[in-house]
Amino acid sequence: MAAQHDVTQSWRLGALELAAAYAAGTLTPLAVVEALGERIGRLNPKLNALITINPAAREDAAAATARWAEGTPLSPLDGVPLTVKDHLNVEGLATTWGNRALAGRIAEEDELAVARCRAAGLVILGKTNVPEFTLEGYTDNALFGVTRNPWNPALTPGGSSGGAVAAVAAGLCPLALGTDGGGSIRRPASHTGLVGLKPSIGAVARAGSLPQVMLDFEVVGPLARTAADAEALYRVIAGPDRRDQGSLWARPAASAGPLRILYVPRFGEQPLDPEIAESVERAVAVLEGLGHRVTRGALPFGLAAVDRFWPMMGAAAVAAIFAALPQAEPVAAERFRALAAQGRQLPAADYLGGWEGIRRFRERVSRAFEAVDIIITPSAAALPWPATEPYPPEIAGQAVGPRGHAIYTGWVNACGHPAINLPAPPSAGGLPIGFQLVGAFGQDAQLLQLAADYERANGRGWRWPALAEQTTTG
């Protein structure tokens, strides 16, 4: 008989490691969920990562424990704990979207990805914090307050999946569901040392969701501490559904042999933290060592269409939120009320013209991927900044605006291709740094395979932040 695991240390295990322990009978889902509940009670007040606890988690874990005992698990991840971003509906729990007026809004059905997780037996621990309407790159709101980075609680984990990444990085859960409409999975993952996948448009079907005001730019994706765990969760949530006709896309065959990789170190004269630049160079060298053909250069397409449409989409998005949920407007932050006013004045012809520009942009990006298999960039231009500030005001000594730190990710949402954040070597002060791999449309599986290859070649296991190692409430 296999030796029993110490359940008090089960928080250190990843999703697949937990599943293996369940199969071997050395841990049970119920014991793990109970141990994580104690850990959440001790560490979450320092981070404010989870804002709603699922009262049915223990019951769900007990049911998973019985299935493993009977040899009838629902899936390889049956009984594995999971958190869900407070942007995705979980039946019976509030979906607040970070807005005070929506605090009592109880979801009547699961978002499709959540339903797929539930059907696979994953245990939903609770909901994670977001910035109001998930439209900012840090995580704070008037309802629940600020979320902090486990690597340094004075700093932000980024956003909008800030609560999700803080929970996984601190060992409160091994897996999280996030959403990414402009980098909201990849950038927070880079700030916390995680693997975060933004799937291709349509790879994860959408149904039962909040108003999708970011059009098809926004997708649901997994966050984990390893590429294998991220892939395992992706396999649970991926796939088409009749309710989402955009999910019925064809998947092209992956390229065989060494990949053609274009490394774009920076975007023109836009500032980039020098520690990030150096770290990503070292990560790219690992991929070169695997035999892939890496060239360095600029993006083979312009981003003018994206830059033109983005502010229009943002203004229209907030106006659409308030049209669908009018109770949210009076208590929303002033900047969102002002943005909604702009959205209501936006000419339809301008908006549709901007959307036509995005359609043509997608054509140009698709043509560019005939000559390359992967594009690599940093995931974020800045290291984590103070947790209560919406963005870093300067990078590398240059003044930047609200999106200065976020320049590398939004174009991938606009074209709809898959992208994944992977950890690069940390900063001199120990802060996580990430880089993103962008694949051809539909090549999600190829990205996940390359991520696993990089992880093995890199030879660095997961580093726990000091906060995660704390054993007292002090």
Side-chain angles (χ1 to χ4, degrees), residues 67 71 86 89 127 149 152 160 270 274 281 312 379 396 457-458:
R67 290 192 293 269
D86 192 28
N89 286 324
K127 305 291 289 292
N149 193 320
N152 182 342
S160 61
Q270 296 285 343
E281 286 281 354
M312 287 192 285
S379 291
N458 199 32

Side-chain angles (χ1 to χ4, degrees), residues 10-11 31-41 81 125 171-174:
S10 59
W11 59 272
V32 169
V33 166
E34 289 177 339
L36 287 180
E38 183 279 331
R39 184 171 176 80
I40 289 167
L125 296 179
L172 306 186
C173 59

Side-chain angles (χ1 to χ4, degrees), residues 262 264 266-267 297-303 361 368 375-377 407 411:
L262 172 63
V264 183
R266 60 193 308 141
F267 284 4
L299 284 176
F301 40 79
L303 301 180
F361 172 72
I375 293 177
I376 293 179
T377 76
I407 59 171
W411 69 271

